[in-house]
Amino acid sequence: MSRTARVERITKETKVLVEIDLDGTGQAEIGTGIGFYDHMLNQIARHGGFDLTVRTVGDLEIDAHHTMEDTALALGAAFDQALGDKAGIRRYGSATVPMDEVLVRAAVDLSGRPYVVHDEPALAPYIGPVYPTSMTRHIFESFGQAARITLHVDVLRAARPGGHPDAHHVVEAQFKAVSRALREATAVDPRSAGAIPSTKGTL
C-alpha cells in the first residue's frame, strides 16, 4: 500500500504545496523562500528517509512567521494523511543525535493525540537573515498538531566551552533528531502482522 500524500494549503497569507512519500529514499525538492528553513526541511527528508516536495509562497515582505507556520501545518497534515490508519507501523520512535558540541533527544508517538514538548536554551535571535530562532518551537508545535502526534524535543547539551550556544547547530540537531525518530516510528513492524499498534484498535 502506497503511503503518500499531497496537501495544498491556500490562505490570504501563503500558498503551500506539500507532497510526501513515507517509503522514499530521502529525495527532496524544497522552496520556501527562507534558506535555513529549506535546509531544515531537507534534513527531514534525508534523515527521515522520506521523499518530500515543499513549495511555499508567503508574505515574506511582512516576516517569516506565516510562511514557516503554514508550511509546518501542511507538512503535518500530509504526514497524517500518508500514515492512513497506521496499521503495521512501529508507532514509537526516538533518537539522540549529536552535532559537534550539541546533543539533542527526540521522542515521538504516532498516537493520534497531538501534544508537543520542546526545550531549548536561549539562542541568538536569527540564523541567517530571515530565520527567527523563536520559531523553531512553533514549527514543531504546528507540525505536531496537524500530524496528530506526541513529540518531545530536548536539547541536552548546547554550550561550547567558554561560549554561547551555536544556534545553527542547536536547531539543526533538533531537526535531525526529530527526523530519525519519525523514521523509526513510521517504519513497518514485521512482527505486527499488520495490526494497529494500540489495544484500543485505533489511533
Side-chain angles (χ1 to χ4, degrees):
M1 181 177 176
S2 175
R3 298 195 299 169
T4 63
R6 185 179 193 272
V7 168
E8 287 188 87
R9 178 183 173 87
I10 300 174
T11 73
K12 292 181 179 180
E13 298 165 341
T14 63
K15 181 178 180 181
V16 185
L17 169 67
V18 173
E19 297 176 333
I20 192 167
D21 182 349
L22 299 181
D23 300 305
T25 59
Q27 301 301 306
E29 294 182 16
I30 310 293
T32 67
I34 304 167
F36 186 75
Y37 195 28
D38 291 354
H39 184 44
M40 295 302 97
L41 295 174
N42 269 284
Q43 305 307 315
I44 290 177
R46 175 62 61 186
H47 296 286
F50 312 130
D51 289 346
L52 180 62
T53 297
V54 177
R55 300 191 185 98
T56 302
V57 177
D59 54 359
L60 293 176
E61 71 280 4
I62 295 176
D63 67 9
H65 186 108
H66 299 145
T67 297
M68 297 170 76
E69 176 183 57
D70 287 1
T71 300
L73 288 168
L75 178 59
F79 195 86
D80 183 47
Q81 182 179 317
L83 280 170
D85 65 5
K86 304 174 187 173
I89 65 169
R90 294 187 182 275
R91 175 177 170 177
Y92 297 97
S94 63
T96 303
V97 170
M99 187 170 183
D100 297 346
E101 76 284 2
V102 176
L103 187 66
V104 174
R105 178 181 61 219
V108 64
D109 175 11
L110 306 181
S111 60
R113 299 186 306 275
Y115 199 96
V116 176
V117 177
H118 178 264
D119 183 36
E120 71 175 3
L123 300 173
Y126 283 90
I127 300 171
V130 185
Y131 183 99
T133 56
S134 61
M135 281 295 294
T136 301
R137 176 196 296 269
H138 192 50
I139 290 166
F140 289 133
E141 289 174 338
S142 299
F143 172 77
Q145 289 290 325
R148 300 189 307 118
I149 65 174
T150 299
L151 175 64
H152 289 246
V153 184
D154 296 285
V155 179
L156 304 177
R157 186 173 300 117
R160 293 171 291 179
H164 298 289
D166 183 321
H168 187 131
H169 285 182
V170 171
V171 174
E172 185 167 339
Q174 291 177 60
F175 275 87
K176 287 179 173 177
V178 169
S179 302
R180 297 300 298 190
L182 289 171
R183 182 176 187 146
E184 181 179 335
T186 58
V188 174
D189 183 353
R191 299 175 61 187
S192 73
I196 292 174
S198 171
T199 55
K200 295 190 295 291
T202 185
L203 287 173

